[in-house]
Amino acid sequence: MATTVLASIGDHGVLNAALSPALPGIWIDRDLSWLDFNERVLAEALDERTPLLERAKFLAIFTSNLDEFFMKRLAVLRHGASEAERALLQQVREKLLPQLERQAECYRNVIIPRLAEHGVFLRYWSELTPRQQEEASSYFDSQLSPALTPLVIDPVHPFPFLSNLSTSLVFRVRDVAKGESMFARVKVPGVLKQWIPVEADLESGQKLLIPLSQVIRGNLHKLYSGMEISEIAVMRITRDAEVELDDESSADYRAQVKEEIRQRRYEPVVRLEFGPGADPGIEEMLRERLDLEKTDLYNLKELADYTTLFELVGLPKPALRDREWTPLTPAFLSNGHEDIFAAIRAGDFLVHHPYDSFDATVEHFISWAADDPQTVSIKMTAYRIGDDTPFVKSLIRAAERGKQVACVMEIKARFDEERNLHWAAELERAGAHVTFGVSGLKTHAKTALVVRKEANGLRCYVHIGTGNYHVKTARLYADVGLFTCDHRITSDAVNLFHYLTGHADQPHCASLLVAPLTMRPRLLDLIHREIQNKRDGRPARIVAKMNQLEDPDMIEALCEASQVGVPIDLIIRGFCCLRPGVPGHTENIRIRSIIGRFLEHSRIFYFANGTEDLAEGEYCIGSADWMFRNLSKRIEVVTPVFAAGPKQRLWEILDICLRDEREAWVLGSDAKYTQLHPEDGASGPESIGTHQTLMNLALERADI
């Protein structure tokens, strides 16, 4: 089965199993499923139970997600010319249009009036009083006009460059004296505040905000003195981000990545969005200039760019936001000064962010190693590490103190290339060894290794996680990580880093599952073991939590397990290409998605292993989703979890997710998701959901 399906996978991971008879009735298209995921994000904004400013935030997240979808997927989908692929593009649009309508309705009918009830007014230029317009115009003169570049489009002035995800005002200007008419454009500066406060005519405690584009619109006449301005349109473009140069075309890998970044700026436009009331003539002019189809144009009913709503989340209205959550330090590291290596020697332990403090555990692990006189070397993988990352500072400090430091940096992490190039240079300047992994494979593993010289010789300590070494996302993403000095894992980690920084056919890893070498076959072996256990009458069960499921081999194996009666629970936040509940194929598979306050990002896998004793089951965590790209095109690491304490905590997480009736959606055999609602009198995760339950448990453990 898998061979037939894999034949439809191209260089960009394009997979269209609907073209193959191998998975009749089982396969759900990944792009349509992704749009379903983003609809679940939008539902958080539509949900009356979500605090008001959080609802505005989810409107922004919905747009941000959609931007990434168009940048990454639209050009890929257009590569095909078959009738089925053209039909898929139309399905994408048909699924998306009602979602955009609901987004606009939420902003217009919920966000604006409800904020007004709390003294926060979001206004357009035409809704301002004369005094308010005067104040906004003064802001334009002093704080905005110098940053603008008014342009015209005529035979002397060429069509301007439009940068990706930029918002512009496009309009007609007419020179009355000469009787000439032309188009003009002013870009809305993305680096400035997008909501401008106006104080005139307000009562005490009230706040009025106007979009930056509206301030510019109300003052365009100052930029085009003596000209008549008409037919104004607010527009926003999205460019393709799928630039991929041949790995063998350049001897200088960094130069190649810099060239990819440069070329991305000039990639074709794949989407053109317009704010309300856009002139049809301007729409058609831009469509022709940008070589787009009419189906590439989207007319939005309210804002042209909802990501500006991220600014509103910081309004001084705590009652309109989720209660603040501060990640907690585990009890054995309560004051932040304990020897973390002694804690690891006492026994493997698991951390779960953002409930457990990332700063006091993962960051502390690297920082302590950098300052520890017994540390010999520190080695880390880095995919997305963020600005002003303390990890790089710790590694630099360690290198400057004579410790051997190696960082396997993925400088082709999409949209983070420039940041990673910068930190690679900073590390090298301090004397650290920086490598870029294995040619042709992205390094997506989340692994850190510390080697110390102790009384009995060298001892290794390892952290293996499911999330990036990124301090900001660690407060927003739910991820788990294992700390261990178990030789079965640390010896594999040593071999893995030798492989990543040196040159070998493959690392010898007896315990770790490493993609693209051993992970897929080992995972398949684990599934097939459950199948055999079921056939032999022994306990069998699979519970797998991940971000997305798409890999044909894994789907085939799960179908086979279902067919022999293995109970399978899949907790998949994002897109899922497997349809559950299909008679004769997937009737023993249940699939749910958890969407809420935090972004579920952890990958946790449980296999009963022939026993009903949860402590004796086999547990794994790691960096890889069950996607073709993760299992075949990336360096990924999944580790078994041997110790009883971490196993117990992993099952606790899985069990809470499976019991959730507040933040959970269930995928049906009709390929549609249904949101669950707690029954009257429900308690625990059934009533309050996964995230609040885990926050409460963290507080109980800390005795707060």
Side-chain angles (χ1 to χ4, degrees):
M1 178 189 293
T3 303
T4 308
V5 180
L6 283 171
S8 63
I9 298 179
D11 292 338
H12 295 278
V14 182
L15 184 60
N16 193 349
L19 301 179
S20 168
L23 296 172
I26 303 300
W27 190 266
I28 301 174
D29 179 82
R30 70 168 276 176
D31 294 300
L32 297 180
S33 182
W34 187 95
L35 291 176
D36 288 337
F37 153 67
N38 209 30
E39 187 167 25
R40 298 195 294 278
V41 172
L42 177 61
E44 289 296 303
L46 307 180
D47 195 328
E48 290 285 345
R49 299 172 295 180
T50 307
L52 186 59
L53 288 177
E54 304 296 337
R55 296 177 75 172
K57 180 188 73 177
F58 278 108
L59 290 181
I61 293 172
F62 173 81
T63 289
S64 179
N65 288 347
L66 204 55
D67 291 344
E68 187 168 345
F69 175 81
F70 273 89
M71 287 188 287
K72 288 184 175 181
R73 296 298 301 168
L74 255 289
V76 173
L77 293 176
R78 285 175 177 163
H79 284 166
S82 71
E83 182 177 340
E85 287 162 319
R86 289 194 298 270
L88 177 58
L89 281 171
Q90 183 61 32
Q91 286 179 281
V92 166
R93 182 175 174 87
E94 290 174 357
K95 186 179 281 282
L96 180 56
L97 288 175
Q99 295 178 7
L100 294 172
E101 184 70 34
R102 289 195 292 274
Q103 182 188 36
E105 289 175 357
C106 181
Y107 177 73
R108 178 175 59 249
N109 299 330
V110 176
I111 303 301
I112 292 177
R114 298 275 183 88
L115 281 178
E117 293 173 5
H118 293 273
V120 178
F121 304 99
L122 308 182
R123 295 286 186 260
Y124 294 110
W125 182 264
S126 60
E127 298 172 313
L128 301 182
T129 67
R131 288 184 60 205
Q132 290 168 344
Q133 288 186 351
E134 182 180 352
E135 181 183 339
S137 295
S138 296
Y139 178 89
F140 175 88
D141 294 337
S142 62
Q143 302 297 321
L144 189 50
S145 179
L148 302 178
T149 303
L151 300 172
V152 294
I153 306 169
D154 61 15
V156 179
H157 301 85
F159 189 79
F161 173 74
L162 302 173
S163 56
N164 185 39
L165 300 182
S166 64
T167 299
S168 298
L169 299 177
V170 180
F171 44 93
R172 290 183 184 271
V173 294
R174 182 172 180 271
D175 188 325
V176 179
K178 296 181 180 179
E180 297 176 348
S181 181
M182 65 201 77
F183 291 106
R185 177 252 185 168
V186 175
K187 179 180 178 180
V188 179
V191 296
L192 301 181
K193 287 194 306 181
Q194 297 299 300
W195 289 89
I196 307 305
V198 176
E199 299 179 356
D201 298 330
L202 296 180
E203 297 179 6
S204 176
Q206 293 182 333
K207 196 175 190 68
L208 188 150
L209 299 167
I210 178 173
L212 182 62
S213 61
Q214 287 286 304
V215 177
I216 298 173
R217 182 173 187 151
N219 289 272
L220 280 175
H221 61 282
K222 298 178 182 178
L223 301 176
Y224 296 86
S225 179
M227 309 285 279
E228 289 183 352
I229 298 174
S230 63
E231 301 172 7
I232 303 172
V234 179
M235 54 82 70
R236 182 172 182 258
I237 72 156
T238 308
R239 292 184 181 273
D240 173 38
E242 284 293 322
V243 180
E244 193 76 26
L245 299 181
D246 183 359
D247 282 343
E248 305 301 324
S249 65
S250 173
D252 188 338
Y253 192 55
R254 292 180 221 227
Q256 178 197 42
V257 173
K258 290 178 181 178
E259 178 61 17
E260 288 183 8
I261 297 170
R262 189 193 69 80
Q263 287 193 19
R264 185 183 296 157
R265 285 176 44 83
Y266 306 101
E267 282 294 283
V269 175
V270 295
R271 179 180 58 164
L272 181 55
E273 297 172 285
F274 290 98
D279 176 68
I282 290 178
E283 289 186 9
E284 184 62 18
M285 180 273 293
L286 289 169
R287 186 188 71 79
E288 292 180 353
R289 288 274 192 168
L290 299 172
D291 192 25
L292 296 172
E293 302 292 331
K294 289 186 178 180
T295 52
D296 297 320
L297 275 58
Y298 289 85
N299 293 93
L300 306 181
K301 299 294 181 64
E302 292 293 337
L303 298 176
D305 181 7
Y306 285 88
T307 65
T308 63
L309 294 179
F310 281 124
E311 287 188 11
L312 302 187
V313 180
L315 286 170
K317 298 286 181 179
L320 304 183
R321 293 194 299 271
D322 287 327
R323 289 183 62 182
E324 185 176 352
W325 171 254
T326 301
L328 302 172
T329 301
F332 52 83
L333 294 172
S334 58
N335 65 22
H337 298 294
E338 285 82 355
D339 181 349
I340 192 168
F341 301 116
I344 298 172
R345 287 195 298 273
D348 294 2
F349 63 87
L350 190 91
V351 289
H352 190 194
H353 315 298
Y355 314 103
D356 295 322
S357 169
F358 186 78
D359 301 351
T361 55
V362 182
E363 182 186 331
H364 181 52
F365 177 61
I366 301 301
S367 177
W368 188 282
D371 298 328
D372 173 29
Q374 291 178 263
T375 296
V376 176
S377 69
I378 306 173
K379 301 179 181 182
M380 286 184 69
T381 59
Y383 190 71
R384 301 187 195 279
I385 54 177
D387 291 323
D388 299 323
T389 170
F391 291 99
V392 172
K393 294 177 182 178
S394 293
L395 294 178
I396 289 173
R397 192 167 70 252
E400 290 174 342
R401 294 180 177 181
K403 305 180 193 304
Q404 187 179 95
V405 174
C407 186
V408 184
M409 182 81 72
E410 181 47 70
I411 59 172
K412 296 182 76 172
R414 191 86 54 89
F415 310 126
D416 279 297
E417 297 97 335
E418 290 181 287
R419 182 181 292 111
N420 287 2
L421 280 168
H422 164 74
W423 288 119
E426 290 294 310
L427 282 166
E428 288 181 323
R429 193 173 293 117
H433 303 290
V434 177
T435 65
F436 304 125
V438 180
S439 177
L441 300 174
K442 282 189 175 181
T443 303
H444 192 247
K446 292 64 166 92
T447 307
L449 167 69
V450 173
V451 182
R452 301 180 77 237
K453 186 177 181 180
E454 300 181 356
N456 295 324
L458 295 181
R459 188 195 292 263
C460 298
Y461 300 80
V462 167
H463 169 266
I464 297 176
T466 67
N468 297 312
Y469 292 113
H470 193 298
V471 293
K472 290 183 179 178
T473 58
R475 288 177 169 266
L476 304 172
Y477 292 11
D479 276 300
V480 294
L482 177 72
F483 287 93
T484 182
C485 58
D486 188 317
H487 182 71
R488 290 171 290 181
I489 295 174
T490 61
S491 61
D492 282 0
V494 169
N495 291 335
L496 173 68
F497 276 103
H498 288 169
Y499 169 68
L500 294 176
T501 61
H503 186 81
D505 290 337
Q506 63 181 51
H508 174 70
C509 294
S511 295
L512 294 183
L513 288 64
V514 179
L517 305 168
T518 61
M519 187 176 295
R520 183 195 301 276
R522 292 276 295 280
L523 287 170
L524 291 173
D525 285 346
L526 290 171
I527 295 174
H528 289 136
R529 186 182 64 188
E530 296 303 308
I531 293 172
Q532 191 59 49
N533 283 338
K534 185 66 178 179
R535 287 172 173 160
D536 293 342
R538 304 180 66 196
R541 187 181 182 186
I542 298 170
V543 182
K545 182 179 183 299
M546 64 195 86
N547 293 286
Q548 11 261 353
L549 171 63
E550 171 234 46
D551 185 77
D553 285 352
M554 303 304 295
I555 289 176
E556 177 185 7
L558 290 171
C559 289
E560 184 181 350
S562 172
Q563 288 169 333
V564 302
V566 176
I568 301 170
D569 288 287
L570 304 177
I571 306 162
I572 303 172
R573 170 180 54 84
F575 64 77
C576 174
C577 295
L578 170 60
R579 186 193 303 259
V582 178
H585 295 281
T586 60
E587 63 266 50
N588 290 302
I589 298 177
R590 296 166 295 277
I591 300 175
R592 58 171 43 209
S593 171
I594 307 293
I595 305 291
R597 173 172 182 167
F598 303 122
L599 184 142
E600 285 297 325
H601 194 253
S602 59
R603 292 92 167 185
I604 306 171
F605 312 121
Y606 165 78
F607 303 90
N609 195 23
T611 175
E612 293 182 354
D613 186 346
L614 294 173
E616 295 299 319
E618 185 153 348
Y619 295 79
C620 302
I621 66 167
S623 60
D625 294 314
W626 291 358
M627 293 178 64
F628 177 78
R629 73 175 188 189
N630 296 84
L631 300 178
S632 297
K633 297 290 186 180
R634 290 183 170 186
I635 298 292
E636 304 271 12
V637 171
V638 164
T639 182
V641 176
F642 297 121
K647 281 186 175 184
Q648 181 179 5
R649 193 156 185 203
L650 287 173
W651 180 256
E652 178 183 76
I653 296 167
L654 294 175
D655 181 56
I656 288 170
C657 290
L658 293 175
R659 291 166 54 197
D660 189 335
E661 295 182 1
R662 166 61 181 86
E663 297 172 324
W665 297 69
V666 173
L667 179 60
S669 59
D670 58 358
K672 296 181 180 179
Y673 284 85
T674 302
Q675 187 175 25
L676 298 182
H677 294 276
E679 297 180 359
D680 293 340
S683 61
E686 290 87 349
S687 172
I688 61 177
T690 296
H691 299 149
Q692 189 60 54
T693 299
L694 288 166
M695 285 189 284
N696 291 348
L697 282 171
L699 291 170
E700 289 175 16
R701 289 190 176 106
D703 195 23
I704 294 177

mmCIF file of all heavy atoms in Angstrom, residues 24 49 91 126 219 256 271 283 291 299 314 334 358 450 485 487 508 561 564 606 617 635 671 682:
data_model
loop_
_atom_site.group_PDB
_atom_site.id
_atom_site.type_symbol
_atom_site.label_atom_id
_atom_site.label_comp_id
_atom_site.label_asym_id
_atom_site.label_seq_id
_atom_site.Cartn_x
_atom_site.Cartn_y
_atom_site.Cartn_z
ATOM 1 N N PRO A 24 -8.706 3.828 -0.179
ATOM 2 C CA PRO A 24 -10.066 4.268 -0.504
ATOM 3 C C PRO A 24 -10.869 4.552 0.755
ATOM 4 O O PRO A 24 -10.979 3.712 1.648
ATOM 5 C CB PRO A 24 -10.644 3.073 -1.278
ATOM 6 C CG PRO A 24 -9.853 1.890 -0.796
ATOM 7 C CD PRO A 24 -8.479 2.411 -0.522
ATOM 8 N N ARG A 49 -17.189 31.460 25.806
ATOM 9 C CA ARG A 49 -16.463 31.130 27.038
ATOM 10 C C ARG A 49 -15.050 31.708 27.042
ATOM 11 O O ARG A 49 -14.389 31.733 28.078
ATOM 12 C CB ARG A 49 -16.412 29.617 27.213
ATOM 13 C CG ARG A 49 -17.775 28.957 27.337
ATOM 14 C CD ARG A 49 -17.671 27.438 27.305
ATOM 15 N NE ARG A 49 -17.183 26.954 26.022
ATOM 16 C CZ ARG A 49 -17.003 25.668 25.728
ATOM 17 N NH1 ARG A 49 -17.276 24.741 26.640
ATOM 18 N NH2 ARG A 49 -16.553 25.310 24.541
ATOM 19 N N GLN A 91 -11.554 23.799 -3.870
ATOM 20 C CA GLN A 91 -12.070 23.372 -2.572
ATOM 21 C C GLN A 91 -11.466 24.192 -1.438
ATOM 22 O O GLN A 91 -12.156 24.520 -0.470
ATOM 23 C CB GLN A 91 -11.776 21.889 -2.351
ATOM 24 C CG GLN A 91 -12.637 20.941 -3.147
ATOM 25 C CD GLN A 91 -12.239 19.494 -2.870
ATOM 26 O OE1 GLN A 91 -11.254 18.981 -3.412
ATOM 27 N NE2 GLN A 91 -12.991 18.833 -2.016
ATOM 28 N N SER A 126 -13.815 57.873 9.511
ATOM 29 C CA SER A 126 -15.099 58.546 9.324
ATOM 30 C C SER A 126 -15.929 58.592 10.597
ATOM 31 O O SER A 126 -16.900 59.360 10.682
ATOM 32 C CB SER A 126 -15.902 57.852 8.222
ATOM 33 O OG SER A 126 -16.152 56.494 8.573
ATOM 34 N N ASN A 219 -5.226 61.414 5.791
ATOM 35 C CA ASN A 219 -4.267 62.496 5.547
ATOM 36 C C ASN A 219 -3.537 62.350 4.212
ATOM 37 O O ASN A 219 -2.489 62.977 4.005
ATOM 38 C CB ASN A 219 -3.251 62.536 6.687
ATOM 39 C CG ASN A 219 -3.850 63.033 7.984
ATOM 40 O OD1 ASN A 219 -3.877 64.234 8.247
ATOM 41 N ND2 ASN A 219 -4.334 62.096 8.801
ATOM 42 N N GLN A 256 24.451 30.216 0.372
ATOM 43 C CA GLN A 256 23.270 29.660 -0.287
ATOM 44 C C GLN A 256 22.005 30.050 0.476
ATOM 45 O O GLN A 256 21.000 30.454 -0.129
ATOM 46 C CB GLN A 256 23.392 28.144 -0.355
ATOM 47 C CG GLN A 256 22.179 27.465 -0.992
ATOM 48 C CD GLN A 256 22.149 25.990 -0.668
ATOM 49 O OE1 GLN A 256 22.423 25.597 0.456
ATOM 50 N NE2 GLN A 256 21.817 25.192 -1.655
ATOM 51 N N ARG A 271 -1.476 35.577 -3.183
ATOM 52 C CA ARG A 271 -2.769 36.014 -2.652
ATOM 53 C C ARG A 271 -2.792 37.530 -2.587
ATOM 54 O O ARG A 271 -1.792 38.170 -2.251
ATOM 55 C CB ARG A 271 -2.999 35.433 -1.250
ATOM 56 C CG ARG A 271 -4.312 35.854 -0.613
ATOM 57 C CD ARG A 271 -4.491 35.259 0.780
ATOM 58 N NE ARG A 271 -3.411 35.618 1.684
ATOM 59 C CZ ARG A 271 -3.458 35.492 3.011
ATOM 60 N NH1 ARG A 271 -4.536 34.980 3.583
ATOM 61 N NH2 ARG A 271 -2.428 35.827 3.764
ATOM 62 N N GLU A 283 -8.709 46.781 -8.157
ATOM 63 C CA GLU A 283 -8.537 45.340 -7.993
ATOM 64 C C GLU A 283 -8.076 44.695 -9.298
ATOM 65 O O GLU A 283 -7.143 43.876 -9.305
ATOM 66 C CB GLU A 283 -9.857 44.701 -7.544
ATOM 67 C CG GLU A 283 -10.264 45.034 -6.124
ATOM 68 C CD GLU A 283 -11.498 44.259 -5.705
ATOM 69 O OE1 GLU A 283 -11.926 43.355 -6.457
ATOM 70 O OE2 GLU A 283 -12.035 44.545 -4.624
ATOM 71 N N ASP A 291 -0.162 39.243 -12.048
ATOM 72 C CA ASP A 291 -0.365 37.985 -12.780
ATOM 73 C C ASP A 291 -1.111 36.968 -11.928
ATOM 74 O O ASP A 291 -0.668 35.830 -11.740
ATOM 75 C CB ASP A 291 0.985 37.418 -13.233
ATOM 76 C CG ASP A 291 0.830 36.285 -14.246
ATOM 77 O OD1 ASP A 291 -0.206 36.262 -14.938
ATOM 78 O OD2 ASP A 291 1.722 35.423 -14.334
ATOM 79 N N ASN A 299 -11.767 39.497 -0.858
ATOM 80 C CA ASN A 299 -12.335 40.750 -0.368
ATOM 81 C C ASN A 299 -12.807 40.559 1.069
ATOM 82 O O ASN A 299 -13.736 39.786 1.329
ATOM 83 C CB ASN A 299 -13.504 41.183 -1.257
ATOM 84 C CG ASN A 299 -13.040 41.571 -2.646
ATOM 85 O OD1 ASN A 299 -13.018 40.754 -3.572
ATOM 86 N ND2 ASN A 299 -12.655 42.821 -2.809
ATOM 87 N N GLY A 314 -2.495 43.462 24.916
ATOM 88 C CA GLY A 314 -1.802 44.113 26.018
ATOM 89 C C GLY A 314 -2.560 45.261 26.656
ATOM 90 O O GLY A 314 -2.019 45.940 27.537
ATOM 91 N N SER A 334 13.675 24.385 43.675
ATOM 92 C CA SER A 334 12.766 25.454 44.089
ATOM 93 C C SER A 334 13.402 26.828 44.164
ATOM 94 O O SER A 334 12.752 27.828 43.902
ATOM 95 C CB SER A 334 12.126 25.107 45.432
ATOM 96 O OG SER A 334 13.133 24.909 46.414
ATOM 97 N N PHE A 358 10.428 26.665 32.155
ATOM 98 C CA PHE A 358 11.472 26.371 31.180
ATOM 99 C C PHE A 358 12.788 26.993 31.641
ATOM 100 O O PHE A 358 13.855 26.384 31.536
ATOM 101 C CB PHE A 358 11.047 26.938 29.826
ATOM 102 C CG PHE A 358 11.947 26.586 28.675
ATOM 103 C CD1 PHE A 358 11.892 25.341 28.079
ATOM 104 C CD2 PHE A 358 12.836 27.522 28.163
ATOM 105 C CE1 PHE A 358 12.708 25.024 26.998
ATOM 106 C CE2 PHE A 358 13.652 27.219 27.093
ATOM 107 C CZ PHE A 358 13.586 25.964 26.508
ATOM 108 N N VAL A 450 25.455 17.185 27.973
ATOM 109 C CA VAL A 450 26.501 17.772 28.823
ATOM 110 C C VAL A 450 27.388 16.634 29.317
ATOM 111 O O VAL A 450 26.887 15.623 29.838
ATOM 112 C CB VAL A 450 25.897 18.531 30.017
ATOM 113 C CG1 VAL A 450 27.009 18.976 30.979
ATOM 114 C CG2 VAL A 450 25.096 19.735 29.538
ATOM 115 N N CYS A 485 20.517 10.658 32.976
ATOM 116 C CA CYS A 485 21.919 10.265 32.808
ATOM 117 C C CYS A 485 22.005 8.755 32.614
ATOM 118 O O CYS A 485 23.063 8.157 32.810
ATOM 119 C CB CYS A 485 22.786 10.744 33.977
ATOM 120 S SG CYS A 485 22.273 10.141 35.596
ATOM 121 N N HIS A 487 22.665 5.474 30.971
ATOM 122 C CA HIS A 487 23.675 5.180 29.946
ATOM 123 C C HIS A 487 23.045 4.698 28.647
ATOM 124 O O HIS A 487 23.595 4.934 27.561
ATOM 125 C CB HIS A 487 24.663 4.128 30.475
ATOM 126 C CG HIS A 487 25.758 3.795 29.516
ATOM 127 N ND1 HIS A 487 26.787 4.684 29.215
ATOM 128 C CD2 HIS A 487 25.981 2.688 28.755
ATOM 129 C CE1 HIS A 487 27.590 4.125 28.323
ATOM 130 N NE2 HIS A 487 27.125 2.921 28.024
ATOM 131 N N HIS A 508 25.279 4.720 15.687
ATOM 132 C CA HIS A 508 24.805 3.482 16.306
ATOM 133 C C HIS A 508 23.983 3.861 17.527
ATOM 134 O O HIS A 508 24.503 4.353 18.526
ATOM 135 C CB HIS A 508 25.969 2.588 16.731
ATOM 136 C CG HIS A 508 25.525 1.387 17.504
ATOM 137 N ND1 HIS A 508 24.828 0.341 16.923
ATOM 138 C CD2 HIS A 508 25.644 1.079 18.829
ATOM 139 C CE1 HIS A 508 24.552 -0.560 17.848
ATOM 140 N NE2 HIS A 508 25.033 -0.138 19.007
ATOM 141 N N ALA A 561 -3.623 -2.278 12.504
ATOM 142 C CA ALA A 561 -3.836 -2.507 13.936
ATOM 143 C C ALA A 561 -5.319 -2.417 14.280
ATOM 144 O O ALA A 561 -5.847 -3.224 15.059
ATOM 145 C CB ALA A 561 -3.031 -1.502 14.750
ATOM 146 N N VAL A 564 -7.377 -5.597 13.372
ATOM 147 C CA VAL A 564 -7.308 -6.766 14.253
ATOM 148 C C VAL A 564 -7.874 -6.465 15.635
ATOM 149 O O VAL A 564 -7.871 -7.335 16.509
ATOM 150 C CB VAL A 564 -5.857 -7.296 14.375
ATOM 151 C CG1 VAL A 564 -5.300 -7.658 13.013
ATOM 152 C CG2 VAL A 564 -4.960 -6.301 15.100
ATOM 153 N N TYR A 606 2.482 6.022 23.373
ATOM 154 C CA TYR A 606 2.316 4.945 24.366
ATOM 155 C C TYR A 606 1.902 3.667 23.657
ATOM 156 O O TYR A 606 0.995 3.667 22.814
ATOM 157 C CB TYR A 606 1.258 5.323 25.399
ATOM 158 C CG TYR A 606 0.775 4.149 26.227
ATOM 159 C CD1 TYR A 606 1.539 3.657 27.280
ATOM 160 C CD2 TYR A 606 -0.437 3.526 25.942
ATOM 161 C CE1 TYR A 606 1.102 2.567 28.026
ATOM 162 C CE2 TYR A 606 -0.878 2.437 26.688
ATOM 163 C CZ TYR A 606 -0.108 1.957 27.721
ATOM 164 O OH TYR A 606 -0.527 0.887 28.457
ATOM 165 N N GLY A 617 3.962 -0.306 30.375
ATOM 166 C CA GLY A 617 3.846 0.011 28.958
ATOM 167 C C GLY A 617 5.072 0.740 28.460
ATOM 168 O O GLY A 617 5.926 1.185 29.239
ATOM 169 N N ILE A 635 16.456 15.223 10.482
ATOM 170 C CA ILE A 635 17.073 14.578 11.641
ATOM 171 C C ILE A 635 16.140 14.819 12.818
ATOM 172 O O ILE A 635 15.934 15.957 13.251
ATOM 173 C CB ILE A 635 18.467 15.160 11.941
ATOM 174 C CG1 ILE A 635 19.425 14.924 10.772
ATOM 175 C CG2 ILE A 635 19.013 14.560 13.230
ATOM 176 C CD1 ILE A 635 19.789 13.476 10.554
ATOM 177 N N ALA A 671 -15.251 12.801 8.331
ATOM 178 C CA ALA A 671 -14.100 13.704 8.186
ATOM 179 C C ALA A 671 -14.393 15.097 8.714
ATOM 180 O O ALA A 671 -13.695 16.057 8.372
ATOM 181 C CB ALA A 671 -13.617 13.771 6.734
ATOM 182 N N ALA A 682 -20.359 17.850 35.385
ATOM 183 C CA ALA A 682 -19.031 17.289 35.108
ATOM 184 C C ALA A 682 -17.979 18.009 35.932
ATOM 185 O O ALA A 682 -18.130 19.174 36.312
ATOM 186 C CB ALA A 682 -18.710 17.405 33.625
#
